[in-house]
Amino acid sequence: MVHVRKRTLGRFLRLDHADLAAPPPADGLPTAAGDPERARLELRFRVLGATRPLLAFGTGVEIISPASLRDELAHTAREIATMYTADGKG
């Protein structure tokens, strides 16, 4: 399950439509609880490593579940941040 910012949604659907668990409903996408600026989507991936392209959306996409995927992408994001902040040499 992911939450996608509405401003990112068009690009997300163009690039990741094949990963949707089901086609988007004709009557519009469900919103994230308490946040009408985010759509709630269910994705499916065969392996966790296939989810790394989601990092390209930055803060436009938030992984909600499963926790193992959320943890893996958070770990990768920390490694990237460390590379760019440590000594500037990567």
Side-chain angles (χ1 to χ4, degrees), residues 1 14 19 47 58 61 66 69 85-87:
M1 180 73 60
R14 279 192 308 278
D19 299 319
V47 295
V61 173
L69 173 57
T85 58
D87 63 4

Side-chain angles (χ1 to χ4, degrees), residues 48-73:
L48 284 180
T51 61
R52 285 197 171 187
L54 294 176
L55 289 169
F57 292 100
T59 60
V61 173
E62 178 185 7
I63 305 301
I64 303 304
S65 63
S68 58
L69 173 57
R70 189 175 169 92
D71 293 345
E72 181 174 322
L73 291 185

Side-chain angles (χ1 to χ4, degrees), residues 16-89:
D16 287 286
H17 67 277
D19 299 319
L20 292 174
D27 60 347
L29 294 169
T31 59
D35 189 351
E37 292 303 311
R38 291 179 184 250
R40 186 180 76 237
L41 297 168
E42 188 172 339
L43 304 177
R44 64 176 172 1
F45 294 97
R46 294 181 193 270
V47 295
L48 284 180
T51 61
R52 285 197 171 187
L54 294 176
L55 289 169
F57 292 100
T59 60
V61 173
E62 178 185 7
I63 305 301
I64 303 304
S65 63
S68 58
L69 173 57
R70 189 175 169 92
D71 293 345
E72 181 174 322
L73 291 185
H75 175 77
T76 301
R78 283 190 299 274
E79 287 180 330
I80 292 168
T82 298
M83 180 175 73
Y84 284 104
T85 58
D87 63 4
K89 296 182 181 182

